[in-house]
Amino acid sequence: MSGVSEDQLAEALEGAVGEVLATLGLGILSRMTLSIEVIDRDGDLGLFTVAAPAGTPVWDRIGLLRYALTELEANSVGHAVAARLRNEEDE
């Protein structure tokens, strides 16, 4: 990570995300797990999975990601069902 430790990245992102949440009145950041795709100076793709606070145990990171995935899947299915019901009503 070009001389930046995972903890340094986590702390910097935690501060930035926490500030955005506070500015928008959305609450105080408790924990987060981010999956970030980056393109480096050479044009190579990289993937970072960063958790905050720094040092968050892997089982907590997995739990946050699973919860987010479950919510995304549920919302996706809900939208698909609603669209199908709207189409059936139009027929």
Side-chain angles (χ1 to χ4, degrees), residues 49-90:
T49 302
V50 180
T56 300
V58 68
W59 52 86
D60 284 343
R61 297 167 86 162
I62 292 169
L64 285 169
L65 289 169
R66 281 208 175 121
Y67 181 80
L69 180 59
T70 300
E71 184 179 11
L72 287 170
E73 289 172 337
N75 287 335
S76 176
V77 169
H79 288 298
V81 169
R84 177 173 274 168
L85 290 174
R86 280 194 302 273
N87 287 341
E88 289 176 2
E89 288 175 358
D90 292 341

Side-chain angles (χ1 to χ4, degrees), residues 6-49:
E6 186 175 326
D7 285 351
Q8 288 173 312
L9 181 58
E11 289 171 8
L13 287 169
E14 181 179 18
V17 171
E19 187 176 320
V20 169
L21 292 173
T23 299
L24 297 175
L26 296 174
I28 298 169
L29 178 62
S30 171
R31 295 181 299 162
M32 70 177 187
T33 300
L34 299 174
S35 292
I36 306 164
E37 183 180 75
V38 298
I39 301 172
D40 67 13
R41 291 183 182 125
D42 298 328
D44 295 326
L45 285 176
L47 179 68
F48 295 119
T49 302

